[in-house]
Amino acid sequence: MTTAHPLRAGTAHQSRSVAGHLAAVTALLAPLAAESRAEVLPLRAALGRALVHDIVAPVSLPPFANSQMDGYAVRSADLHDGGTDLRVAPPVPAGSRPPALLTGTAAPIMTGAMLPDGADAVVPIERAVPDSFPAAGSEASVTLPAVPAGTFVRPAGSDIVAGGRALAARTHLGPAQLGLLAALGRADVEVFKAVTVLLVTTGDEVVEPGRELPDGKIYDANGTLLEAAMAEAGIDVRRTGISTDEPGELRKLLRATSTEADLIVTTGGVSKGAYEVVRQAMEDQPVDFLHVAMQPGGPQGIGTFDGVPFLGFPGNPVSCLVSFEMFLRPALSALLGAPAPRAPLRARLGHGLTSPERKHQVRRGNLQPDGTVRLEGGEGSHLVHALAGSNALVHVPEGVTELAAGDEVEVWML
Amino acid sequence: MTTAHPLRAGTAHQSRSVAGHLAAVTALLAPLAAESRAEVLPLRAALGRALVHDIVAPVSLPPFANSQMDGYAVRSADLHDGGTDLRVAPPVPAGSRPPALLTGTAAPIMTGAMLPDGADAVVPIERAVPDSFPAAGSEASVTLPAVPAGTFVRPAGSDIVAGGRALAARTHLGPAQLGLLAALGRADVEVFKAVTVLLVTTGDEVVEPGRELPDGKIYDANGTLLEAAMAEAGIDVRRTGISTDEPGELRKLLRATSTEADLIVTTGGVSKGAYEVVRQAMEDQPVDFLHVAMQPGGPQGIGTFDGVPFLGFPGNPVSCLVSFEMFLRPALSALLGAPAPRAPLRARLGHGLTSPERKHQVRRGNLQPDGTVRLEGGEGSHLVHALAGSNALVHVPEGVTELAAGDEVEVWML
């Protein structure tokens, strides 16, 4: 660091909006959404992935009109005010097509069983006299109140009609979406492959957790933090050891390990200091180093290394996580439908804050049950204990310099 | 179903509040929180688990006072209004302890490097004249403005002090918590073992997805839906095939497969109909079948089967998921710290609704970016397509019969 490094001085003062950088990251990763990157998985393995194509319902749900209650299937026209005696027909068997219901009869039916032809309503057993079913094979009658047609009937197709679009392409597959695919009879589904990221942390001053900590060094939190955040988002993460601050070594490490990666992500070495290993290692590559109008996480690198898409995140843990949450995660959500996008929630600030005018500030906070959000820690991007005590990111858009307690902000639950 | 089944008539009309049933489920599963169920995992494998014990910080974070900027480390007392010329000292090396800073000198320092003894502030390079560092080994001086002590210094222990509690027992380990453990030098961590659930869906009328669908039958959505919901919550799920409605067969199936399970969960066969295979299979076991004041998901079974904790969920998909979200998931969160509890959010209803007075109603909805929630589908517990189009559960507490558009409700993001 003993000489001034006028590294790409032309780009060093470039500044870009958060939206502009997200668009650039999304463009870089657009090839990941190619249909050639699809694979067919059994439903249980598709959790957290997203659909390549629309899913059209091959059957209606429910497939047939069925009873919503335990009771008697009836022809509503048979029933009159004041109660009507009907002969008890043989019970409707579960799981098969019952015979048609004769006029003047009522058939015991259980929840979910197919309504017999002719029947158009169900009287719950609680409203019948007597209010329990007669013994098998016995001749019996039952007194039932009048009910409108359709009472306690789930019509065929009332949830979805065969031929209708059940799920759209790029829908994220959580439990409910997989449950719907199962209800439609699907045992497997075509989804986008998981994205493989090679994650490389850098710095002569960082040490692997579990080792001894020499004077002046810190433990590497970035690797664990980002690996976990990426894994939670469905990314297949591969890690190297920590790279030194020697650019040639980092290049060698990347060349040895990046062949199968869809994306390289590094941490550290991207700002305007003298030792900036990632900048230096990328000197011959089409990579831009720029400043995004965001706090923390301003310094960012983006481009390709030997043709592999590359993102360079800054070196502090909170900056790393914010970079992931603001750029990589939403780009993948937009392109592939997975991970599921963070829901933009509204909350009231528990207390006031200030923010630099020309930056989108991302604070860490705790969303309280009363709907207010309490900030955790200060602005410092090294505050990983404060981050660990937070459950949400709090957004202060560019142009906003001051907010008071009670003002509404957008928050993302982590 | 041809005879009335007065199964446990004494308990059939038992009704219990949601809170009462949650307490019962939590008590049933309390042995899972025994410290004997701990295991030590490397950090990457501990994602989604929870801590058995408090974690005390073995080091302070930051471990030493360091620079927040690239610039010059200074003794603030050396600097005076109007600018002061200082001799440039040798640069502070990253990752080791620098020599003390002599009076009247300023040492080039990069972000994160240890502040030399004697230095108490950092002047950013942008505020220096000249605003770039001199070449290595050259004699040079720099003109710096006056700054207060502490400027751009991250004091040792400003995030957490050694000996302080970094994380509490039963904290859920997400990316930020694992990142903190790494920052503290931990390579592994003691967590509760994953809970193993044996999941059994029942019913003569349900067919495995992927097979042909005979007349009157439906595909089994419950197995896929619950397996995915449980897997997302960190549960180790084992599934059997679908059980028939023959109680002896279900008993045999459970005896053959439940030996290693922490919990058996069945779906279907727990209400007051005539064919209720789960009720019948549990006749000789200490199991209660009761009604919880909740819609959907009222009928519930709870007890033990051959000594293994048992929960019987109702047979409709939405009822299954609501049962899981209202009882099993929060019980595990309370006992083990994992999965992370659902955050109770507040939202305004997009339109009005009605709800039975004596029941806690759980509706499905979509939380909109403007903070309102739109209900999806009706109350019907078979509406799995509507469920798949929802991102939230909407709570209408017992005693509330009507809500208007704009009224505030509690929602849980799914």
Side-chain angles (χ1 to χ4, degrees):
Chain A
M1 62 86 72
T2 44
T3 54
H5 274 285
L7 281 169
R8 300 174 178 263
T11 64
H13 293 279
Q14 236 179 291
S15 189
R16 197 184 247 176
S17 70
V18 165
H21 194 59
L22 174 56
V25 173
T26 307
L28 177 73
L29 300 178
L32 294 177
E35 291 196 6
S36 60
R37 290 192 67 264
E39 62 183 339
V40 174
L41 293 180
L43 296 190
R44 81 185 58 199
L47 180 64
R49 302 291 191 90
L51 293 173
V52 178
H53 304 290
D54 287 0
I55 299 284
V56 172
V59 293
S60 292
L61 293 180
F64 46 83
N66 68 86
S67 177
Q68 197 182 330
M69 303 290 276
D70 296 338
Y72 286 96
V74 296
R75 294 168 176 267
S76 59
D78 285 350
L79 301 173
H80 307 287
D81 291 345
T84 309
D85 288 344
L86 296 176
R87 189 161 53 81
V88 177
V92 175
S96 62
R97 177 172 291 278
L101 185 71
L102 302 179
T103 307
T105 69
I109 190 169
M110 297 299 125
T111 306
M114 185 189 277
L115 216 64
D117 280 346
D120 63 2
V122 173
V123 179
I125 184 69
E126 295 84 353
R127 298 186 59 196
V129 179
D131 65 354
S132 65
F133 297 113
S138 60
E139 287 286 318
S141 68
V142 63
T143 308
L144 298 176
V147 292
T151 301
F152 293 123
V153 172
R154 300 165 175 163
S158 50
D159 192 19
I160 185 168
V161 175
R165 189 176 77 171
L167 293 169
R170 286 170 177 66
T171 293
H172 178 256
L173 298 175
Q177 294 74 33
L178 292 171
L180 172 60
L181 290 172
L184 293 170
R186 298 286 300 253
D188 51 38
V189 62
E190 195 173 9
V191 293
F192 287 108
K193 280 185 187 161
V195 172
T196 301
V197 169
L198 178 71
L199 175 60
V200 186
T201 58
T202 72
D204 283 344
E205 78 284 15
V206 286
V207 175
E208 293 285 3
R211 308 227 173 128
E212 209 188 329
L213 189 67
D215 220 14
K217 296 191 191 281
I218 58 170
Y219 287 114
D220 178 30
N222 294 343
T224 298
L225 175 67
L226 279 177
E227 180 178 13
M230 289 177 179
E232 226 178 43
I235 292 170
D236 182 5
V237 188
R238 310 203 179 161
R239 283 180 66 186
T240 65
I242 298 166
S243 167
T244 67
D245 277 342
E246 212 290 293
E249 278 186 32
L250 175 55
R251 270 194 294 265
K252 213 168 124 189
L253 179 69
L254 292 178
R255 291 203 166 107
T257 53
S258 68
T259 47
E260 312 251 301
D262 296 314
L263 171 67
I264 298 165
V265 172
T266 59
T267 69
V270 294
S271 65
K272 290 180 253 165
Y275 288 128
E276 299 293 351
V277 62
V278 174
R279 275 181 181 254
Q280 291 168 291
M282 297 288 162
E283 262 175 336
D284 299 329
Q285 303 279 340
V287 172
D288 285 329
F289 291 94
L290 46 83
H291 201 278
V292 176
M294 179 171 89
Q295 182 193 63
Q300 297 284 338
I302 181 169
T304 59
F305 177 87
D306 288 359
V308 180
F310 160 79
L311 294 176
F313 290 168
N316 272 308
V318 179
S319 307
C320 281
L321 186 73
V322 167
S323 300
F324 174 73
E325 291 286 340
M326 294 297 284
F327 304 123
L328 180 51
R329 198 180 193 285
L332 294 178
S333 298
L335 289 166
L336 302 175
R342 301 280 185 208
L345 307 176
R346 309 295 305 175
R348 294 182 301 282
L349 277 175
H351 38 97
L353 60 75
T354 60
S355 178
E357 184 176 1
R358 294 173 196 282
K359 289 183 182 171
H360 179 118
Q361 194 184 57
V362 183
R363 298 288 288 266
R364 283 68 63 201
N366 246 300
L367 190 64
Q368 309 291 306
D370 68 359
T372 63
V373 63
R374 188 180 70 209
L375 299 181
E376 296 289 335
E379 300 168 12
S381 56
H382 63 296
L383 298 172
V384 66
H385 182 233
L387 178 67
S390 303
N391 65 8
L393 296 181
V394 180
H395 294 278
V396 187
E398 211 178 320
V400 174
T401 56
E402 206 171 345
L403 290 170
D407 283 351
E408 217 178 65
V409 285
E410 181 173 322
V411 301
W412 295 358
M413 297 301 292
L414 290 176
Chain B
M1 64 86 75
T2 44
T3 54
H5 276 284
L7 281 170
R8 299 174 177 263
T11 64
H13 294 276
Q14 237 180 289
S15 189
R16 195 185 248 177
S17 70
V18 164
H21 194 56
L22 174 56
V25 173
T26 307
L28 177 73
L29 299 178
L32 294 178
E35 291 196 7
S36 59
R37 289 192 68 264
E39 61 182 339
V40 174
L41 293 180
L43 296 190
R44 81 185 57 199
L47 180 63
R49 302 292 190 88
L51 293 174
V52 178
H53 303 289
D54 286 1
I55 299 283
V56 172
V59 293
S60 293
L61 293 180
F64 46 84
N66 68 86
S67 176
Q68 196 182 331
M69 303 290 275
D70 296 337
Y72 285 96
V74 296
R75 293 170 177 266
S76 59
D78 284 349
L79 300 173
H80 306 289
D81 291 346
T84 309
D85 288 343
L86 296 177
R87 189 162 51 82
V88 177
V92 175
S96 62
R97 175 173 293 276
L101 185 72
L102 300 180
T103 305
T105 69
I109 190 168
M110 298 297 126
T111 306
M114 186 189 277
L115 217 63
D117 279 346
D120 63 2
V122 172
V123 179
I125 183 69
E126 296 83 353
R127 299 186 61 196
V129 180
D131 66 354
S132 64
F133 296 112
S138 61
E139 286 287 319
S141 68
V142 62
T143 308
L144 299 175
V147 292
T151 301
F152 293 123
V153 172
R154 300 165 176 163
S158 50
D159 192 19
I160 185 168
V161 175
R165 191 176 76 172
L167 294 168
R170 285 169 178 68
T171 294
H172 178 256
L173 298 175
Q177 294 73 34
L178 292 171
L180 172 61
L181 290 172
L184 293 171
R186 297 288 299 253
D188 51 35
V189 61
E190 194 173 11
V191 293
F192 287 108
K193 280 186 186 162
V195 172
T196 301
V197 169
L198 179 72
L199 174 60
V200 186
T201 58
T202 72
D204 284 345
E205 77 285 13
V206 285
V207 176
E208 293 285 3
R211 309 230 172 127
E212 210 189 330
L213 189 67
D215 220 14
K217 296 192 192 278
I218 58 171
Y219 287 113
D220 178 31
N222 293 343
T224 298
L225 175 68
L226 280 178
E227 180 179 12
M230 288 176 180
E232 229 179 39
I235 292 170
D236 182 6
V237 188
R238 314 210 174 154
R239 283 178 67 186
T240 65
I242 298 166
S243 168
T244 67
D245 277 341
E246 212 290 294
E249 279 186 33
L250 175 55
R251 270 194 293 265
K252 214 168 123 187
L253 180 69
L254 292 178
R255 291 204 166 109
T257 54
S258 68
T259 45
E260 311 253 300
D262 296 314
L263 171 68
I264 298 165
V265 172
T266 60
T267 70
V270 295
S271 64
K272 288 181 253 166
Y275 288 127
E276 300 291 353
V277 62
V278 174
R279 274 181 182 258
Q280 291 168 293
M282 297 288 163
E283 261 176 334
D284 298 331
Q285 304 279 339
V287 173
D288 283 331
F289 292 93
L290 47 84
H291 202 280
V292 176
M294 178 172 89
Q295 181 191 66
Q300 297 285 340
I302 181 170
T304 58
F305 176 86
D306 288 357
V308 180
F310 160 80
L311 294 176
F313 290 167
N316 273 306
V318 180
S319 307
C320 280
L321 187 71
V322 167
S323 300
F324 174 73
E325 291 286 340
M326 295 296 284
F327 305 123
L328 180 51
R329 201 180 190 286
L332 294 178
S333 297
L335 288 167
L336 303 175
R342 299 281 185 207
L345 307 175
R346 309 295 304 176
R348 295 180 301 282
L349 276 174
H351 38 95
L353 60 75
T354 61
S355 178
E357 183 177 0
R358 292 174 197 280
K359 289 183 182 170
H360 179 117
Q361 193 183 58
V362 183
R363 298 288 287 268
R364 282 68 63 200
N366 246 300
L367 191 64
Q368 309 292 304
D370 69 358
T372 63
V373 63
R374 187 180 71 209
L375 299 180
E376 297 288 335
E379 299 167 15
S381 56
H382 64 297
L383 298 172
V384 68
H385 181 235
L387 177 67
S390 303
N391 65 8
L393 296 180
V394 181
H395 294 276
V396 187
E398 211 178 321
V400 175
T401 57
E402 205 170 346
L403 289 171
D407 283 352
E408 218 179 64
V409 285
E410 180 173 322
V411 301
W412 295 357
M413 297 301 294
L414 290 176

